[in-house]
């Protein structure tokens, strides 16, 4: 009876899974959002990652109209207030640990950042 053949040990290199990572930035200040977007994109391009964006979403305008008169008498004069919310989306195709290094920046005050990691991206 012959012994089973000995399999040589092979060192397989584990491929790091590439994820689609979506970074959503929202703020009331458009300059702050654009500054953070450009900084994120420059850092991603420096690491030679595939970047899509920034995609500019439509600006939400929240309006509030109130009467100036506290008692309701007198002429009908109104105050009109509005708040604009600007939104940008950046898509990165990279391993999850690379995104931690890219997003480790000083973010402007008033800018909200939301990072979502999708399943593996198809090549």
């Amino acid at each position: 009876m012959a012994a089973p053949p000995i399999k040589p040990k092979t060192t397989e290199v584990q491929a790091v899974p590439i994820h689609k990572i979506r970074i959503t930035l929202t703020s009331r200040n458009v300059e702050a959002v654009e500054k953070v977007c450009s900084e994120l994109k420059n850092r991603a391009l420096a690491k030679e990652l595939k970047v899509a964006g920034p995609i500019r979403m439509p600006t939400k305008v929240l309006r509030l109209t109130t009467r100036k008169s506290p008692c309701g008498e007198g002429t009908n004069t109104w105050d009109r207030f509005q708040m604009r919310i600007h939104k940008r989306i950046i898509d990165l195709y990279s391993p999850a640990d690379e995104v931690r290094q890219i997003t480790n920046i000083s973010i402007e005050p008033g800018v909200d950042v939301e990072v979502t990691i999708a399943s593996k991206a198809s090549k």
Side-chain angles (χ1 to χ4, degrees):
M1 202 161 161
I6 299 173
K7 294 181 182 177
K9 292 185 178 180
T10 59
T11 57
E12 295 181 16
V13 177
Q14 294 288 335
V16 178
I18 302 294
H19 296 284
K20 177 184 176 186
I21 295 150
R22 176 162 282 182
I23 300 173
T24 306
L25 304 166
T26 56
S27 177
R28 292 182 290 163
N29 187 357
V30 69
E31 291 88 12
V33 172
E34 290 295 332
K35 182 178 177 185
V36 173
C37 279
S38 64
E39 194 169 336
L40 282 173
K41 187 169 183 176
N42 290 338
R43 285 182 141 216
L45 291 176
K47 294 207 177 259
E48 298 177 358
L49 299 177
K50 184 178 175 186
V51 180
I55 302 167
R56 290 161 178 84
M57 301 304 288
T59 302
K60 289 183 183 177
V61 180
L62 306 175
R63 291 188 175 99
L64 180 66
T65 305
T66 60
R67 286 278 306 264
K68 281 186 179 181
S69 173
C71 63
E73 300 210 10
T75 60
N76 293 337
T77 55
W78 299 85
D79 276 329
R80 291 179 292 277
F81 301 101
Q82 71 177 8
M83 180 171 63
R84 295 173 178 260
I85 300 175
H86 305 277
K87 188 173 185 179
R88 304 289 185 264
I89 295 175
I90 298 175
D91 287 332
L92 299 174
Y93 299 92
S94 69
D97 57 335
E98 290 283 333
V99 174
R100 286 190 194 99
Q101 295 172 1
I102 292 169
T103 56
N104 189 14
I105 59 171
S106 62
I107 296 173
E108 295 285 317
V111 177
D112 295 326
V113 179
E114 180 182 331
V115 178
T116 56
I117 299 176
S119 61
K120 294 179 183 177
S122 60
K123 288 188 176 182

